[in-house]
Amino acid sequence: MIKERNTKQKTVILSAVRSAKIHPTAEQVHAMVLADMPNISLGTVYRNLNHMAELGQIRRISVTNSPDRFDGDLSPHHHICCSECGEFNDRFDLPYDKSLDTLAEKKTGYKITRHETVFYGLCKNCKKSIKN
Ligand SMILES: [Zn+2]
Ligand SMILES: [Zn+2]
């Protein structure tokens, strides 16, 4: 019974992260899965997310001055974050620089699997409201 419940929790949480385009925080994932599992606690959601990130099923993204976010899209891509309103988006149009991985391998002796870049700045809306 417990095993079945855990499997359902995993399935629902994983599909919530994958379908969300907002790179949700654990709290946002919790809010999304409550419709399917009204009794699930934030702690359980958090544990599941961490476990999935360790298994490589989703990615955890650390964001300066705000809670970690989770990404269901595993393809290499960059992110952009507005430091004013916290908007957080994918940028598939910015090139992934493979030569940086090669350089990091040379310098560190690591076998590099990937790198991630988060660009910080002001989104169009915040840029406008700050000018006025
Ligand atoms: Zn903004
Ligand atoms: Zn992303």
Side-chain angles (χ1 to χ4, degrees), residues 28-46:
Q28 286 170 320
V29 175
H30 183 234
M32 286 187 267
V33 299
L34 276 179
D36 282 316
M37 298 178 293
N39 296 319
I40 195 165
S41 71
L42 178 58
T44 302
V45 170
Y46 204 74

Side-chain angles (χ1 to χ4, degrees), residues 81-101:
C81 177
C82 177
S83 27
E84 195 63 24
C85 68
E87 183 184 76
F88 194 93
N89 283 318
D90 289 324
R91 290 315 305 206
F92 285 97
D93 52 352
L94 297 167
Y96 182 89
D97 187 359
K98 271 235 168 238
S99 69
L100 196 54
D101 291 344

Side-chain angles (χ1 to χ4, degrees), residues 64-116:
T64 313
N65 296 328
S66 80
D68 286 350
R69 289 168 175 272
F70 296 90
D71 195 346
D73 189 333
L74 299 176
S75 62
H77 62 280
H78 298 303
H79 295 108
I80 194 156
C81 177
C82 177
S83 27
E84 195 63 24
C85 68
E87 183 184 76
F88 194 93
N89 283 318
D90 289 324
R91 290 315 305 206
F92 285 97
D93 52 352
L94 297 167
Y96 182 89
D97 187 359
K98 271 235 168 238
S99 69
L100 196 54
D101 291 344
T102 313
L103 182 65
E105 279 193 357
K106 268 191 205 142
K107 300 249 178 202
T108 63
Y110 272 55
K111 169 84 191 101
I112 303 293
T113 45
R114 64 188 174 88
H115 67 270
E116 271 167 18

Side-chain angles (χ1 to χ4, degrees), residues 14 18 48-60 71-75 114:
L14 190 58
R18 284 189 177 150
N48 274 284
L49 288 170
N50 282 333
H51 189 58
M52 286 170 199
E54 272 164 31
L55 293 177
Q57 294 173 316
I58 59 172
R59 257 182 214 153
R60 181 214 307 272
D71 195 346
D73 189 333
L74 299 176
S75 62
R114 64 188 174 88

